Amino acid sequence: TNLNPRYTFENFIVGSFNELPHAAGFAVSKNPGAVYNPLFIYGGVGLGKTHLLQAIGNELIKNFPQKKVRYVSSEKITSEIVTAIRTQEIENLKNKYRQTDVLIVDDIQFLAGKEKTQEEFFHIFNALYDKNKQIILSSDKPPKAIPALAERLRSRFEGGMIADISLPELETRLAILKNKSQERGAEFTEEVLSFIAINVPRNIRELEGALNRLM
């Protein structure tokens, strides 16, 4: 599956900034292929997209152990397509992906400008979509803002649910810090955690980095 079991819904902090994608992802994990297909989640760097995507995947495996769930980065899928074209095994690759019940692709914006990769991914997407297989995608921007993306792919991406993760508010940043320090068995005063939350306003990954340095 390529999923990291550490990323779950249980340790994913929900705030107003990510409420919609979290709710949509949770709904998909209970009823894949029937609601919000494809599910397209976008937001800036370090705001928890990868955690949410993998949490959906892990929840799906728990709820539907018989389903084949595959999590892959767009760089990995590009590399596989390039290799398959070179070795003349593109049909085998497409068949491999067609066996998937849930396809999760992280950072789909990296397909921009790669025309042949987009073409082959379009065929994979259609084959899965036509069989009601669930497709989940993430990007740093909405489909219409991804440059050099084929119009037919853009149209497919916009055909399901698009949900954005915005910047976390102060209270959520504080909750995330408390949660992370608790996970690591460390104790910090409210004053210290508030100081970090106030001074790292834009990025959850940086929040975690500040906490790690402090520890």
Side-chain angles (χ1 to χ4, degrees):
T1 66
N2 300 325
L3 289 165
N4 184 334
R6 281 195 314 117
Y7 292 123
T8 64
F9 277 121
E10 285 72 27
N11 59 18
F12 185 80
I13 299 289
V14 183
S16 58
F17 77 110
N18 63 7
E19 209 166 10
L20 178 62
H22 172 269
F26 196 74
V28 161
S29 73
K30 299 295 181 199
N31 200 358
V35 292
Y36 310 139
N37 197 21
L39 174 59
F40 190 103
I41 295 168
Y42 74 92
V45 173
L47 294 178
K49 296 188 300 294
T50 297
H51 186 150
L52 182 54
L53 257 61
Q54 296 214 27
I56 298 167
N58 283 318
E59 190 71 17
L60 277 160
I61 289 167
K62 198 165 76 179
N63 295 336
F64 305 94
Q66 78 283 7
K67 285 197 183 293
K68 290 182 181 171
V69 178
R70 184 174 171 81
Y71 168 86
V72 64
S73 67
S74 64
E75 290 101 321
K76 172 77 175 160
I77 214 168
T78 300
S79 164
E80 286 182 340
I81 289 171
V82 168
T83 303
I85 291 168
R86 200 182 70 238
T87 56
Q88 297 183 346
E89 291 186 346
I90 194 70
E91 283 309 312
N92 291 343
L93 179 69
K94 285 198 273 200
N95 286 334
K96 182 180 89 169
Y97 273 98
R98 282 174 192 142
Q99 308 305 314
T100 307
D101 294 305
V102 180
L103 178 62
I104 305 171
V105 185
D106 211 349
D107 288 327
I108 199 76
Q109 74 271 10
F110 290 120
L111 290 190
K114 301 181 175 83
E115 288 171 25
K116 188 62 181 168
T117 303
Q118 286 186 38
E119 185 185 327
E120 298 303 344
F121 183 73
F122 178 77
H123 295 310
I124 292 167
F125 184 105
N126 279 348
L128 294 175
Y129 185 80
D130 289 345
K131 290 181 181 172
N132 292 323
K133 307 291 189 183
Q134 181 66 50
I135 302 158
I136 304 165
L137 309 164
S138 86
S139 170
D140 62 354
K141 48 180 80 74
K144 63 176 180 232
I146 300 174
L149 184 67
E151 196 51 49
R152 59 182 181 172
L153 262 186
R154 195 189 314 278
S155 169
R156 285 285 186 273
F157 294 169
E158 290 176 340
M161 164 66 121
I162 301 176
D164 77 304
I165 299 180
S166 54
L167 297 178
E169 62 281 352
L170 178 62
E171 294 80 4
T172 305
R173 298 199 299 275
L174 201 49
I176 289 166
L177 285 169
K178 285 179 179 175
N179 199 46
K180 297 288 183 192
S181 53
Q182 209 171 12
E183 275 178 17
R184 291 163 171 73
E187 280 189 34
F188 296 107
T189 64
E190 187 85 16
E191 189 184 10
V192 167
L193 294 179
S194 292
F195 181 83
I196 299 173
I198 289 164
N199 284 282
V200 185
R202 302 187 66 81
N203 191 311
I204 293 170
R205 204 173 290 146
E206 283 177 20
L207 272 182
E208 204 168 343
L211 194 66
N212 288 339
R213 288 197 296 279
L214 197 60
M215 286 172 67

